[in-house]
Amino acid sequence: PVQVGEDYGAPAPEVPPPPPRAGRELKCVKCSEGLPVVVIRAGDAFCRDCFKAFYVHKFRAVLGKNRLIFPGEKVLLAWSGGPSSSSMIWQVLEGLSRDSAKRLRFVPGVVYVDEGAACGQSLEDRAKTLAEMKLILQTVGFPWHIVALEEVFGLPPSVLRYLDQEPSGTKGAYKAAVDSFLQQQHAPAQGEEQLSQPGSQDPQSPAGPPTAAHTEALSRLFDSVKTLTAKEELLQTLRTHLILHVARTHGYSKVMTGDSCTRLAIKLMTSLALGRGAFLAWDTGFSDERHGDVVVVRPMRDHTLKEVAFYNRLFAVPSVFTPAIDTKAPEKSSIHRLMEAFMLRLQAQFPSTVSTVYRTSEKLVKAPRDGNAGGPPGPRCLLCMCALDIDTADSATAFGAQTSHLSQMQPPTPPAEAPTTPCCSAGVGRAQGCCRGAEPCGREDPRATVIEQLCYGCRVNMKDLPSLDPLPPYILTEAQLRSQRASVLQEIQEYLIDSDDEAQTGES
Amino acid sequence: MAAPLSVEVEFGGGAELLFDGVKKHQVTLPGQEEPWDIRNLLVWIKKNLLKERPELFIQGDSVRPGILVLINDADWELL
């Protein structure tokens, strides 16, 4: 007599053997033999074995269909300890241990971000959680990286930059990679040996416990944020940067996250409410290329949270519960919470809610504005790193009006047509800039410098941060660098325009 | 009249936080007139086990949407 909830568990009585109702007579819809244990979708009851096959197949199908992960590629699995990402790790583990053609062929590693400081956990609790995590990581055997959220205070500004992907992405390249991989694989003896290879017990040394100063700085930062909504967004932003940094410094070109389809449906609605409508396809799609060189993929996006919870329960997938920033918070405490409650309640009454929303997210296309697809993208949001959706010229909208004072006092972000300047003119620009060097920095309010580099959603969010000072230094540094670069570019441009004018007057 | 009933109730995935962090509870339900069903049990849990924030566990006469229930390792939707 035991049961467990996915998000929360619930109870079950081992009561008078329930009067044999129709339900109990049911057979598994797949094999028509097994005793059903779980209902997925409307009324489809699966037995244990068929459910497992269904679940595993879905995971592999998502990866197979998208053909995004190359054989031999290093893939970082982002693990929170929660049910979905734990299940993802177990699926990868299972997939790697398969024999023959069905085997997954990438090289996994795991990253865990200890967010205890942002969630108000004591050092003892954090140490306890970490010990539990390590135990599981040892069982899994993949190389792992444990980082504390405090490490954002040591991030380099370059983490916020878009880096170009090494050319590969085409279908032909995928095939070629598979072929060359298979050739390599056939040479060494194939088999179980392979399994132990990625599981090198040599974890990338966790950089030791974070310093007390950083822990304090992090709690100060989160304490200063006025709303839970903004806290959740900030946490996600910092976590993403940290994971990206780990991926880049260790040569992972893909990051897998465990977002389930339930979670993504909630996220889609939340993102909309947060003013991130322009980025829905990135925020919720299968793959997210916003960082360029490191692509985030979401292989659990076809699994509902219910399926995940049942699978983990039935097949003993371990997960570690860690209080999140919104644990025990009332339903109306943040947009995230509210949207979650809304979706789940709707889902309880209308069982197609989640799948309908999720199907919508599948159809969203990542079309960059004005069709400048491909090529080095224009300016990107400093925080979420999406292509800026801010049109400073568009003062007709409420948002344009609201931000126009910013664009007036700031040089606008350089227009896309500004050439990535050859060094000679950069030299001129700098030389020219020298005499007025103090000016651009002097007149700029650091807050304005940051805000103007944000997308709409992130701008709104930053309003709940009374001061930017507690932010980790890499964000402010990069903002300053970008703004300096922008003003230098503008000066160069002024120079170019001048000469252009002269040429014109000379001609006429 | 239903006889007293021994049941193991387990909470997980964070729900245990509402129960003092205790996951497994071995409980004996008292005898009562009508037979025990889940609805009764939920009320009993709310009264006897739940320590805080009942609205995060029970809404109306069922569990809060998002909470999954298993009975003897099977989905309660099968019943």
Side-chain angles (χ1 to χ4, degrees):
Chain A
V2 166
Q3 68 314 298
V4 128
E6 118 237 327
D7 217 352
Y8 306 93
E14 178 184 22
V15 193
R21 271 188 280 163
R24 271 294 162 201
E25 318 273 301
L26 269 178
K27 293 289 181 201
C28 167
V29 294
K30 264 266 153 53
C31 62
S32 329
E33 286 177 7
L35 184 71
V37 292
V38 55
V39 178
I40 47 182
R41 299 185 297 246
D44 279 359
F46 277 60
C47 71
R48 198 171 183 273
D49 291 347
C50 291
F51 175 61
K52 182 172 190 186
F54 162 86
Y55 192 93
V56 172
H57 171 78
K58 249 197 323 195
F59 183 80
R60 306 177 58 79
V62 170
L63 292 180
K65 188 174 70 186
N66 291 282
R67 296 203 150 198
L68 220 64
I69 315 261
F70 283 35
E73 191 171 12
K74 280 183 84 180
V75 175
L76 188 59
L77 310 172
W79 184 47
S80 68
S84 300
S85 58
S86 300
S87 215
M88 172 177 79
I89 290 181
W90 249 253
Q91 287 302 303
V92 171
L93 195 60
E94 220 253 2
L96 287 168
S97 68
R98 292 230 174 170
D99 44 335
S100 75
K102 286 200 155 183
R103 200 155 64 83
L104 293 179
R105 289 171 296 205
F106 56 83
V107 180
V110 180
V111 63
Y112 168 68
V113 179
D114 167 15
E115 300 167 1
C119 305
Q121 269 192 291
S122 71
L123 286 176
E124 297 81 65
D125 285 347
R126 292 176 67 183
K128 237 167 65 187
T129 306
L130 273 187
E132 265 185 272
M133 297 285 177
K134 282 184 188 162
L135 213 61
I136 294 183
L137 287 169
Q138 274 158 5
T139 318
V140 171
F142 297 157
W144 78 66
H145 314 268
I146 293 180
V147 287
L149 192 61
E150 281 92 331
E151 289 176 41
V152 291
F153 288 96
L155 283 181
S158 59
V159 76
L160 297 175
R161 280 171 221 159
Y162 177 95
L163 298 181
D164 265 323
Q165 196 178 5
E166 278 124 55
S168 54
T170 65
K171 281 191 179 139
Y174 180 86
K175 253 200 99 85
V178 173
D179 292 345
S180 75
F181 178 82
L182 287 178
Q183 275 167 7
Q184 288 164 25
Q185 290 297 298
H186 282 300
Q190 209 178 346
E192 295 310 301
E193 305 304 314
Q194 231 83 53
L195 222 204
S196 54
Q197 171 245 323
S200 60
Q201 296 292 10
D202 184 8
Q204 238 62 35
S205 58
T211 66
H214 281 168
T215 304
E216 202 195 315
L218 197 65
S219 352
R220 194 157 3 109
L221 169 61
F222 277 88
D223 287 344
S224 77
V225 182
K226 287 191 287 191
T227 60
L228 186 60
T229 300
K231 276 183 203 187
E232 298 215 37
E233 287 295 292
L234 178 65
L235 177 58
Q236 175 168 327
T237 302
L238 297 181
R239 181 201 300 134
T240 306
H241 295 163
L242 204 49
I243 292 175
L244 176 63
H245 180 69
V246 170
R248 280 179 175 166
T249 49
H250 293 91
Y252 293 96
S253 43
K254 297 282 188 310
V255 171
M256 279 188 181
T257 64
D259 304 87
S260 63
C261 110
T262 313
R263 188 54 57 201
L264 287 173
I266 294 167
K267 194 171 177 185
L268 182 129
M269 301 299 284
T270 309
S271 283
L272 268 178
L274 290 170
R276 299 188 49 80
F279 311 129
L280 289 183
W282 283 268
D283 284 352
T284 63
F286 172 73
S287 66
D288 176 354
E289 302 86 357
R290 77 181 70 175
H291 307 116
D293 57 337
V294 175
V295 177
V296 178
V297 294
R298 308 186 171 102
M300 299 297 289
R301 73 190 306 277
D302 278 351
H303 297 79
T304 65
L305 221 35
K306 178 174 178 182
E307 288 162 14
V308 171
F310 269 81
Y311 186 90
N312 289 0
R313 172 80 192 175
L314 294 174
F315 301 100
V317 175
S319 56
V320 179
F321 174 77
T322 44
I325 201 161
D326 60 350
T327 295
K328 285 210 238 175
E331 280 187 355
K332 288 179 183 151
S333 53
S334 73
I335 291 179
H336 304 74
R337 271 306 255 176
L338 190 59
M339 220 35 112
E340 181 185 69
F342 170 67
M343 291 292 290
L344 294 178
R345 188 161 308 145
L346 211 54
Q347 170 75 14
Q349 294 163 38
F350 305 95
S352 329
T353 303
V354 164
S355 62
T356 305
V357 174
Y358 157 78
R359 297 285 162 221
T360 309
S361 83
E362 263 188 330
K363 292 186 177 69
L364 297 169
V365 180
K366 295 165 195 153
R369 258 159 91 97
D370 307 322
N372 61 342
R380 290 175 171 266
C381 173
L382 185 68
L383 290 180
C384 72
M385 301 163 85
C386 285
L388 273 187
D389 57 346
I390 302 295
D391 182 356
T392 38
D394 183 12
S395 53
T397 63
F399 183 66
Q402 174 201 348
T403 54
S404 60
H405 70 281
L406 276 175
S407 43
Q408 275 158 17
M409 56 190 258
Q410 292 292 186
T413 24
E417 68 264 21
T420 19
T421 34
C423 6
C424 54
S425 49
V428 173
R430 196 177 307 133
Q432 207 187 30
C434 275
C435 47
R436 324 188 222 156
E439 193 205 323
C441 309
R443 76 178 165 199
E444 275 171 29
D445 159 21
R447 186 173 181 97
T449 307
V450 170
I451 298 293
E452 68 152 8
Q453 297 179 31
L454 301 181
C455 68
Y456 174 70
C458 290
R459 282 185 191 193
V460 172
N461 220 29
M462 280 297 121
K463 283 189 182 159
D464 289 335
L465 205 71
S467 161
L468 299 185
D469 297 339
L471 281 176
Y474 72 99
I475 294 177
L476 303 171
T477 309
E478 176 66 7
Q480 219 158 35
L481 284 173
R482 281 194 197 185
S483 138
Q484 277 163 8
R485 206 158 42 213
S487 55
V488 166
L489 271 175
Q490 213 205 5
E491 276 164 22
I492 293 165
Q493 223 205 353
E494 276 166 19
Y495 174 78
L496 291 176
I497 288 168
D498 280 346
S499 66
D500 208 36
D501 285 350
E502 272 165 32
Q504 273 172 7
T505 43
E507 271 168 29
S508 58
Chain B
M1 167 89 188
L5 196 63
S6 178
V7 181
E8 186 179 285
V9 182
E10 183 179 340
F11 305 95
E16 69 270 21
L17 295 189
L18 304 175
F19 299 85
D20 256 356
V22 182
K23 286 191 172 183
K24 290 192 181 185
H25 302 254
Q26 191 67 51
V27 299
T28 305
L29 305 176
Q32 61 171 23
E33 282 305 314
E34 50 194 273
W36 281 99
D37 59 13
I38 298 283
R39 192 181 314 241
N40 293 334
L41 177 65
L42 287 177
V43 174
W44 187 89
I45 288 175
K46 184 180 174 188
K47 231 186 272 169
N48 296 280
L49 294 180
L50 193 62
K51 293 290 187 294
E52 55 178 318
R53 292 166 223 243
E55 74 283 1
L56 293 187
F57 182 66
I58 283 197
Q59 286 182 6
D61 59 358
S62 188
V63 291
R64 183 164 73 105
I67 297 184
L68 300 174
V69 182
L70 282 82
I71 300 172
N72 298 335
D73 261 346
D75 193 348
W76 76 336
E77 287 182 36
L78 285 164
L79 297 182

